[in-house]
Amino acid sequence: MQPADTRASVTAPDASAAPVPHDDRLRPGRPAFRRANLALFAAGIATFVLLYSTQGLLPVLSADLDLTPGQASWTASAATLGLALGLLPASALSDRYGRTAVMTASTLAASALALALPFAPDLTTLVALRALQGAALAGLPATAMAYLAEEIHPGALASAMGLYVAGNSIGGMGGRLLSGWTAAALGWRWGLAASAALALLAALAFRLLIPAARHFTPAPVDARALARTVGRHLRNPLLVRLYALGLLFMAVFGAVYNTAGYRLIAAPFHLPETVAASIFVVYLVGTGTSAAAGRLSARLGRRGALYVAIGVTTAGLLLSLADDLLCALLGLVLITAGFFAGHATASAAVGRTATEGRAQASALYLIAYYLGNSLGGTLGADAYHATGWPGSATVGLTATTLAAAVTLYATHQAHAARRAVADA
C-alpha cells in the first residue's frame, strides 16, 4: 500500500497543472479567419465609398445645380456630421444587439439610401439623405474593431486590423475616384449610382462572408454609465487635447480636398474634370505615412511626431499657394502625408491614454475627427468661393497653427510636471 501522501499526489492533481482553456478565436490558416478578414475589408470599402462619394464630384454638382463650392460641400459635410453624431449610439446598440447585426444593418441601410441619392430633386433633399446615410454608416467604425478584438486571436489581430484599415483607405479613395470619373463622363447622378452599386456589392459580400460572433456577450444599454464614462474622458486634459488635434488635422484635410478639384479645373491650370478627379490617388501617400508614424513616435516621442506632422502639413499648404502645377501637386502630397501621420499618432495615443472605457474614448476621438471634416470642409469651401485657393489654404493654416499651439501647451505642461517632480 502506498503512503498516504503519495496516494494524495496521484489522486488529486496539482492545481498548477490544470489544463489551459482552449482559445478558439480565429487564427491564420482557418477558413473562418480568411472570411472574417475579407468581410471586414468589404465592409470598409462599402462604408468609405459611400461616405466620400460626393467629394469627388463637387465641381460637377456646382456646375449642374448652379451651386457655390460652399453649398456643394454640404453634400460631403452632412455625411460626416451624421456619422459623428451616430457613433456613440451605434456603439451602445452593438453592445446590446451584437457586432455583426449592427454592422450588417449599417452597411445595408446606407447602401439602400445610396440608391435613392441619384433621384434627389434638389440640394436640400440630397443633403438630408446624405446626413441620414452618414448616421447609418456609423455602425461600422463604431463596431468593427470591437468585433475583431473579440473574435480574432491576439497574435493575428494586427494583421486583421491592417486589412480592415486598408479596406477603409481603398474605399475612401475608390469612392472619390469612381464617382468623380463617372460624373465627369455622365453626370453627377450616374456618379452617385456607380458608387451605390459598388457599395451594395461590397455590403452583400460582407453579409455573406462574416462568420457568426462566438465571443460576444450582450450587455444592456446603460445610458447613465455611458454618460459617466464619456464625462470622465472629457475631463481628462490629455484626451481632450488629442481630440482637438484629430479635429484640427481633419479640418485641414476637409478644407483642402473639398476645394482642390475646383482649383485644378480653373485658371491657371484648366485641367479636364477627369484628370482633376484623379487627385485622390494622392490618398495612397497616407498608407505609407500612417505606418511610418509609429516608427516616428518611437524615435521622437508622441509630441515630436506631432511637430513633424504639423510642419509637413504646413509646408504643403504654403507650397500649394504657388500658381505652378508641380508645386500644387507636391503641396497636396505633403498635406496628405502630414495629415495621416498626425492622425495616426493622435488616434494611437488615445488608446494608450484611456485606462477604461477605451471604446468610448475612441468613439469620442472619431466624433471630433469627423466634426473636423465637416467644419473644415464647409469653411474651406466658403473661403474658396470668396478668395480662391488662398482662402482654403488660410483655413488649413489656421488649423495647423492651432494644432501647434495645442502641442506646445502639452510640451509646456510636461516640462512643468518634470520640474515639479525634480523639486519635490
Side-chain angles (χ1 to χ4, degrees):
M1 181 179 293
Q2 294 177 316
D5 58 345
T6 306
R7 277 198 311 272
S9 68
V10 172
T11 58
D14 184 0
S16 65
V20 178
H22 176 62
D23 188 339
D24 63 349
R25 285 177 289 182
L26 303 179
R27 302 168 182 261
R30 295 182 182 177
F33 177 80
R34 290 191 292 272
R35 286 174 52 210
N37 277 337
L38 289 173
L40 269 296
F41 181 78
I45 288 177
T47 299
F48 286 88
V49 160
L50 295 178
L51 185 63
Y52 294 112
S53 60
T54 62
Q55 197 175 50
L57 49 78
L58 294 181
V60 181
L61 273 173
S62 288
D64 194 55
L65 299 179
D66 192 25
L67 305 175
T68 67
Q71 291 172 321
S73 74
W74 271 108
T75 63
S77 298
T80 52
L81 181 61
L83 188 147
L85 296 177
L87 281 167
L88 278 175
S91 66
L93 289 174
S94 78
D95 287 341
R96 175 66 180 86
Y97 296 105
R99 316 302 186 197
T100 54
V102 169
M103 288 190 290
T104 299
S106 176
T107 53
L108 291 178
S111 298
L113 285 167
L115 295 173
L117 291 179
F119 303 99
D122 52 40
L123 177 66
T124 301
T125 306
L126 183 58
V127 169
L129 287 172
R130 287 286 288 158
L132 289 174
Q133 190 178 46
L137 286 169
L140 190 84
T143 305
M145 290 194 177
Y147 172 87
L148 290 172
E150 291 166 354
E151 303 299 326
I152 302 295
H153 188 273
L157 186 57
S159 63
M161 289 281 192
L163 191 59
Y164 166 63
V165 171
N168 295 351
S169 300
I170 291 172
M173 182 188 69
R176 293 167 167 102
L177 292 176
L178 177 64
S179 63
W181 287 340
T182 306
L186 302 173
W188 65 269
R189 296 183 188 276
W190 282 106
L192 289 176
S195 295
L198 176 58
L200 182 59
L201 289 174
L204 291 173
F206 165 79
R207 181 65 188 90
L208 293 172
L209 288 168
I210 191 71
R214 301 173 61 188
H215 298 276
F216 168 73
T217 302
V221 177
D222 189 338
R224 290 183 179 180
L226 179 63
R228 286 194 297 270
T229 301
V230 169
R232 283 193 295 272
H233 290 328
L234 293 178
R235 289 190 296 271
N236 183 322
L238 176 53
L239 285 176
V240 170
R241 289 195 292 269
L242 293 171
Y243 298 154
L245 287 170
L247 184 151
L248 292 167
F249 274 114
M250 194 53 161
V252 177
F253 206 62
V256 166
Y257 277 98
N258 271 17
T259 55
Y262 289 100
R263 187 195 188 194
L264 292 175
I265 64 175
F269 305 130
H270 297 295
L271 295 181
E273 288 179 352
T274 50
V275 177
S278 301
I279 62 165
F280 295 108
V281 172
V282 175
Y283 203 81
L284 291 173
V285 172
T287 303
T289 54
S290 294
R295 297 191 296 272
L296 193 63
S297 295
R299 184 172 182 179
L300 300 179
R302 180 180 67 247
R303 288 186 297 276
L306 287 171
Y307 285 128
V308 171
I310 293 166
V312 170
T313 305
T314 301
L317 288 165
L318 293 173
L319 184 61
S320 73
L321 289 169
D323 283 335
D324 176 83
L325 184 58
L326 182 60
C327 288
L329 295 177
L330 182 56
L332 284 175
V333 169
L334 292 176
I335 292 165
T336 305
F339 159 74
F340 275 100
H343 166 50
T345 302
S347 59
V350 169
R352 291 193 297 269
T353 301
T355 56
E356 60 176 345
R358 285 190 173 92
Q360 287 74 32
S362 296
L364 288 171
Y365 176 83
L366 289 174
I367 288 170
Y369 176 80
Y370 286 114
L371 286 176
N373 186 48
S374 298
L375 180 65
T378 302
L379 291 177
D382 285 337
Y384 181 86
H385 181 62
T387 62
W389 182 255
S392 298
T394 298
V395 171
L397 289 167
T398 301
T400 57
T401 300
L402 292 172
V406 170
T407 310
L408 283 168
Y409 177 76
T411 302
H412 171 75
Q413 292 295 95
H415 288 167
R418 282 198 290 269
R419 286 195 299 270
V421 170
D423 294 340

